[in-house]
mmCIF file of all heavy atoms in Angstrom:
data_model
loop_
_atom_site.group_PDB
_atom_site.id
_atom_site.type_symbol
_atom_site.label_atom_id
_atom_site.label_comp_id
_atom_site.label_asym_id
_atom_site.label_seq_id
_atom_site.Cartn_x
_atom_site.Cartn_y
_atom_site.Cartn_z
ATOM 1 N N THR J 1108 49.491 -40.932 -2.978
ATOM 2 C CA THR J 1108 48.272 -40.040 -2.739
ATOM 3 C C THR J 1108 48.592 -38.848 -2.067
ATOM 4 O O THR J 1108 49.831 -38.565 -1.597
ATOM 5 C CB THR J 1108 47.297 -40.827 -1.801
ATOM 6 O OG1 THR J 1108 47.737 -40.834 -0.506
ATOM 7 C CG2 THR J 1108 47.030 -42.083 -2.358
ATOM 8 N N ALA J 1109 47.761 -37.790 -1.937
ATOM 9 C CA ALA J 1109 48.124 -36.572 -1.183
ATOM 10 C C ALA J 1109 48.478 -36.825 0.218
ATOM 11 O O ALA J 1109 49.121 -36.025 0.880
ATOM 12 C CB ALA J 1109 46.841 -35.622 -1.227
ATOM 13 N N ALA J 1110 48.058 -37.863 0.826
ATOM 14 C CA ALA J 1110 48.333 -38.381 2.190
ATOM 15 C C ALA J 1110 49.656 -39.206 2.287
ATOM 16 O O ALA J 1110 50.001 -39.629 3.391
ATOM 17 C CB ALA J 1110 47.155 -39.114 2.818
ATOM 18 N N GLY J 1111 50.244 -39.382 1.221
ATOM 19 C CA GLY J 1111 51.452 -40.191 1.103
ATOM 20 C C GLY J 1111 51.191 -41.581 0.517
ATOM 21 O O GLY J 1111 50.137 -41.772 -0.013
ATOM 22 N N PRO J 1112 52.232 -42.438 0.455
ATOM 23 C CA PRO J 1112 52.050 -43.695 -0.226
ATOM 24 C C PRO J 1112 51.073 -44.525 0.507
ATOM 25 O O PRO J 1112 51.161 -44.681 1.813
ATOM 26 C CB PRO J 1112 53.372 -44.334 -0.250
ATOM 27 C CG PRO J 1112 54.172 -43.601 0.786
ATOM 28 C CD PRO J 1112 53.649 -42.323 0.900
ATOM 29 N N VAL J 1113 50.233 -45.265 -0.117
ATOM 30 C CA VAL J 1113 49.223 -46.103 0.416
ATOM 31 C C VAL J 1113 49.164 -47.465 -0.248
ATOM 32 O O VAL J 1113 49.130 -47.604 -1.421
ATOM 33 C CB VAL J 1113 47.783 -45.482 0.221
ATOM 34 C CG1 VAL J 1113 46.718 -46.540 0.790
ATOM 35 C CG2 VAL J 1113 47.617 -44.156 0.984
ATOM 36 N N SER J 1114 49.361 -48.591 0.708
ATOM 37 C CA SER J 1114 49.299 -49.878 0.134
ATOM 38 C C SER J 1114 47.949 -50.288 -0.013
ATOM 39 O O SER J 1114 47.065 -50.192 0.822
ATOM 40 C CB SER J 1114 50.080 -50.823 1.276
ATOM 41 O OG SER J 1114 50.020 -52.171 0.733
ATOM 42 N N VAL J 1115 47.754 -50.970 -1.283
ATOM 43 C CA VAL J 1115 46.489 -51.316 -1.674
ATOM 44 C C VAL J 1115 46.394 -52.832 -1.731
ATOM 45 O O VAL J 1115 47.408 -53.423 -2.481
ATOM 46 C CB VAL J 1115 45.814 -50.797 -2.920
ATOM 47 C CG1 VAL J 1115 44.520 -51.203 -3.261
ATOM 48 C CG2 VAL J 1115 45.934 -49.220 -2.785
ATOM 49 N N ARG J 1116 45.454 -53.632 -1.273
ATOM 50 C CA ARG J 1116 45.316 -55.088 -1.434
ATOM 51 C C ARG J 1116 44.102 -55.366 -2.175
ATOM 52 O O ARG J 1116 43.059 -54.665 -2.030
ATOM 53 C CB ARG J 1116 45.262 -55.734 -0.046
ATOM 54 C CG ARG J 1116 46.352 -55.261 0.983
ATOM 55 C CD ARG J 1116 47.746 -55.317 0.409
ATOM 56 N NE ARG J 1116 48.171 -56.737 -0.038
ATOM 57 C CZ ARG J 1116 49.332 -56.967 -0.503
ATOM 58 N NH1 ARG J 1116 50.155 -55.986 -0.943
ATOM 59 N NH2 ARG J 1116 49.699 -58.161 -0.646
ATOM 60 N N ILE J 1117 44.133 -56.444 -3.084
ATOM 61 C CA ILE J 1117 43.047 -56.856 -3.826
ATOM 62 C C ILE J 1117 42.903 -58.388 -3.518
ATOM 63 O O ILE J 1117 43.737 -59.108 -3.186
ATOM 64 C CB ILE J 1117 43.234 -56.550 -5.357
ATOM 65 C CG1 ILE J 1117 44.426 -57.271 -6.027
ATOM 66 C CG2 ILE J 1117 43.161 -55.061 -5.535
ATOM 67 C CD1 ILE J 1117 44.454 -57.071 -7.510
ATOM 68 N N ALA J 1118 41.659 -58.792 -3.909
ATOM 69 C CA ALA J 1118 41.345 -60.214 -4.041
ATOM 70 C C ALA J 1118 40.560 -60.503 -5.256
ATOM 71 O O ALA J 1118 39.831 -59.643 -5.737
ATOM 72 C CB ALA J 1118 40.540 -60.704 -2.884
ATOM 73 N N ILE J 1119 40.741 -61.713 -5.844
ATOM 74 C CA ILE J 1119 40.231 -61.946 -7.222
ATOM 75 C C ILE J 1119 39.454 -63.228 -7.120
ATOM 76 O O ILE J 1119 39.835 -64.252 -6.601
ATOM 77 C CB ILE J 1119 41.344 -62.056 -8.268
ATOM 78 C CG1 ILE J 1119 42.120 -60.760 -8.408
ATOM 79 C CG2 ILE J 1119 40.796 -62.608 -9.699
ATOM 80 C CD1 ILE J 1119 43.211 -60.885 -9.489
ATOM 81 N N GLY J 1120 38.225 -63.115 -7.658
ATOM 82 C CA GLY J 1120 37.279 -64.149 -7.885
ATOM 83 C C GLY J 1120 36.959 -64.350 -9.284
ATOM 84 O O GLY J 1120 36.605 -63.396 -9.979
ATOM 85 N N ALA J 1121 37.065 -65.546 -9.881
ATOM 86 C CA ALA J 1121 36.857 -65.515 -11.405
ATOM 87 C C ALA J 1121 36.186 -66.927 -11.701
ATOM 88 O O ALA J 1121 36.203 -68.013 -10.939
ATOM 89 C CB ALA J 1121 38.157 -65.459 -12.132
ATOM 90 N N VAL J 1122 35.639 -66.948 -12.917
ATOM 91 C CA VAL J 1122 34.960 -68.190 -13.392
ATOM 92 C C VAL J 1122 35.237 -68.342 -14.909
ATOM 93 O O VAL J 1122 35.214 -67.318 -15.582
ATOM 94 C CB VAL J 1122 33.521 -68.311 -13.115
ATOM 95 C CG1 VAL J 1122 32.767 -67.091 -13.721
ATOM 96 C CG2 VAL J 1122 32.810 -69.538 -13.616
ATOM 97 N N VAL J 1123 35.519 -69.586 -15.441
ATOM 98 C CA VAL J 1123 35.707 -69.632 -16.772
ATOM 99 C C VAL J 1123 34.264 -70.185 -17.413
ATOM 100 O O VAL J 1123 33.675 -71.016 -16.930
ATOM 101 C CB VAL J 1123 36.779 -70.788 -17.141
ATOM 102 C CG1 VAL J 1123 36.937 -71.076 -18.624
ATOM 103 C CG2 VAL J 1123 38.031 -70.449 -16.578
ATOM 104 N N ALA J 1124 34.000 -69.548 -18.643
ATOM 105 C CA ALA J 1124 32.713 -69.831 -19.216
ATOM 106 C C ALA J 1124 32.995 -70.198 -20.693
ATOM 107 O O ALA J 1124 33.984 -69.761 -21.284
ATOM 108 C CB ALA J 1124 31.856 -68.645 -19.205
ATOM 109 N N PRO J 1125 32.036 -70.918 -21.343
ATOM 110 C CA PRO J 1125 30.828 -71.427 -20.759
ATOM 111 C C PRO J 1125 30.885 -72.696 -20.052
ATOM 112 O O PRO J 1125 29.946 -73.300 -19.679
ATOM 113 C CB PRO J 1125 30.101 -71.651 -22.050
ATOM 114 C CG PRO J 1125 30.974 -72.024 -23.194
ATOM 115 C CD PRO J 1125 32.238 -71.206 -22.828
ATOM 116 N N ARG J 1126 32.157 -73.141 -19.739
ATOM 117 C CA ARG J 1126 32.367 -74.535 -19.129
ATOM 118 C C ARG J 1126 31.713 -74.487 -17.683
ATOM 119 O O ARG J 1126 31.031 -75.372 -17.369
ATOM 120 C CB ARG J 1126 33.870 -74.709 -18.978
ATOM 121 C CG ARG J 1126 34.030 -76.199 -18.242
ATOM 122 C CD ARG J 1126 35.542 -76.509 -18.221
ATOM 123 N NE ARG J 1126 35.707 -77.790 -17.659
ATOM 124 C CZ ARG J 1126 36.874 -78.334 -17.576
ATOM 125 N NH1 ARG J 1126 38.060 -77.697 -17.829
ATOM 126 N NH2 ARG J 1126 37.032 -79.615 -16.907
ATOM 127 N N HIS J 1127 31.768 -73.366 -16.918
ATOM 128 C CA HIS J 1127 31.174 -73.284 -15.651
ATOM 129 C C HIS J 1127 30.188 -72.264 -15.407
ATOM 130 O O HIS J 1127 29.810 -71.949 -14.289
ATOM 131 C CB HIS J 1127 32.416 -73.150 -14.575
ATOM 132 C CG HIS J 1127 33.314 -74.319 -14.458
ATOM 133 N ND1 HIS J 1127 32.974 -75.526 -14.559
ATOM 134 C CD2 HIS J 1127 34.749 -74.293 -14.586
ATOM 135 C CE1 HIS J 1127 33.965 -76.378 -14.395
ATOM 136 N NE2 HIS J 1127 35.083 -75.625 -14.435
ATOM 137 N N ALA J 1128 29.704 -71.682 -16.523
ATOM 138 C CA ALA J 1128 28.529 -70.806 -16.425
ATOM 139 C C ALA J 1128 27.807 -70.776 -17.655
ATOM 140 O O ALA J 1128 28.375 -70.514 -18.665
ATOM 141 C CB ALA J 1128 29.075 -69.342 -16.031
ATOM 142 N N ARG J 1129 26.595 -70.983 -17.556
ATOM 143 C CA ARG J 1129 25.643 -71.009 -18.775
ATOM 144 C C ARG J 1129 24.985 -69.791 -19.124
ATOM 145 O O ARG J 1129 24.513 -69.510 -20.190
ATOM 146 C CB ARG J 1129 24.633 -72.110 -18.643
ATOM 147 C CG ARG J 1129 25.207 -73.500 -18.597
ATOM 148 C CD ARG J 1129 24.236 -74.542 -18.012
ATOM 149 N NE ARG J 1129 23.966 -74.204 -16.604
ATOM 150 C CZ ARG J 1129 23.226 -74.934 -15.739
ATOM 151 N NH1 ARG J 1129 22.507 -76.034 -16.354
ATOM 152 N NH2 ARG J 1129 22.992 -74.424 -14.579
ATOM 153 N N ASP J 1130 24.887 -68.907 -18.205
ATOM 154 C CA ASP J 1130 24.205 -67.507 -18.407
ATOM 155 C C ASP J 1130 24.853 -66.511 -17.567
ATOM 156 O O ASP J 1130 25.678 -66.742 -16.675
ATOM 157 C CB ASP J 1130 22.751 -67.595 -18.187
ATOM 158 C CG ASP J 1130 22.352 -68.114 -16.895
ATOM 159 O OD1 ASP J 1130 23.011 -67.773 -15.770
ATOM 160 O OD2 ASP J 1130 21.339 -68.982 -16.740
ATOM 161 N N THR J 1131 24.493 -65.235 -17.722
ATOM 162 C CA THR J 1131 25.111 -64.122 -16.915
ATOM 163 C C THR J 1131 24.743 -64.288 -15.557
ATOM 164 O O THR J 1131 25.689 -64.000 -14.773
ATOM 165 C CB THR J 1131 24.520 -62.810 -17.545
ATOM 166 O OG1 THR J 1131 24.705 -62.790 -19.026
ATOM 167 C CG2 THR J 1131 25.348 -61.701 -16.935
ATOM 168 N N GLU J 1132 23.671 -64.672 -15.104
ATOM 169 C CA GLU J 1132 23.344 -64.765 -13.728
ATOM 170 C C GLU J 1132 24.398 -65.890 -12.989
ATOM 171 O O GLU J 1132 24.862 -65.547 -12.005
ATOM 172 C CB GLU J 1132 21.852 -65.154 -13.515
ATOM 173 C CG GLU J 1132 21.453 -65.390 -12.074
ATOM 174 C CD GLU J 1132 20.044 -65.762 -11.869
ATOM 175 O OE1 GLU J 1132 19.349 -65.774 -12.869
ATOM 176 O OE2 GLU J 1132 19.658 -66.112 -10.744
ATOM 177 N N GLU J 1133 24.489 -66.941 -13.739
ATOM 178 C CA GLU J 1133 25.345 -67.899 -13.113
ATOM 179 C C GLU J 1133 26.774 -67.484 -13.195
ATOM 180 O O GLU J 1133 27.557 -67.725 -12.188
ATOM 181 C CB GLU J 1133 25.222 -69.205 -14.008
ATOM 182 C CG GLU J 1133 25.815 -70.495 -13.271
ATOM 183 C CD GLU J 1133 25.329 -71.795 -13.958
ATOM 184 O OE1 GLU J 1133 25.680 -71.912 -15.099
ATOM 185 O OE2 GLU J 1133 24.527 -72.444 -13.275
ATOM 186 N N LEU J 1134 27.202 -66.717 -14.222
ATOM 187 C CA LEU J 1134 28.453 -66.167 -14.422
ATOM 188 C C LEU J 1134 28.856 -65.344 -13.117
ATOM 189 O O LEU J 1134 29.850 -65.375 -12.461
ATOM 190 C CB LEU J 1134 28.653 -65.251 -15.606
ATOM 191 C CG LEU J 1134 29.982 -64.939 -16.214
ATOM 192 C CD1 LEU J 1134 30.707 -66.203 -16.814
ATOM 193 C CD2 LEU J 1134 29.816 -63.988 -17.222
ATOM 194 N N VAL J 1135 27.878 -64.445 -12.764
ATOM 195 C CA VAL J 1135 28.109 -63.413 -11.708
ATOM 196 C C VAL J 1135 28.082 -64.135 -10.382
ATOM 197 O O VAL J 1135 29.068 -63.924 -9.495
ATOM 198 C CB VAL J 1135 27.035 -62.307 -11.760
ATOM 199 C CG1 VAL J 1135 27.236 -61.476 -10.552
ATOM 200 C CG2 VAL J 1135 27.267 -61.380 -12.919
ATOM 201 N N GLN J 1136 27.138 -65.168 -10.172
ATOM 202 C CA GLN J 1136 27.010 -65.873 -8.959
ATOM 203 C C GLN J 1136 28.373 -66.529 -8.695
ATOM 204 O O GLN J 1136 28.778 -66.601 -7.516
ATOM 205 C CB GLN J 1136 25.759 -66.675 -9.069
ATOM 206 C CG GLN J 1136 25.501 -67.337 -7.773
ATOM 207 C CD GLN J 1136 26.166 -68.761 -7.453
ATOM 208 O OE1 GLN J 1136 26.337 -69.407 -8.435
ATOM 209 N NE2 GLN J 1136 26.433 -69.003 -6.268
#
């Protein structure tokens, strides 16, 4: 970046469908 190198950290949350989510609301939740 313009301010120099910046370390970025991420976290991931995921769900497999349709096994564990039947609709979009459940998917997001």
Side-chain angles (χ1 to χ4, degrees):
T1108 73
V1113 174
S1114 177
V1115 181
R1116 312 307 294 175
I1117 63 172
I1119 294 176
V1122 60
V1123 178
R1126 183 175 183 181
H1127 295 313
R1129 294 161 295 182
D1130 53 41
T1131 308
E1132 180 180 352
E1133 197 168 61
L1134 195 74
V1135 171
Q1136 187 272 326

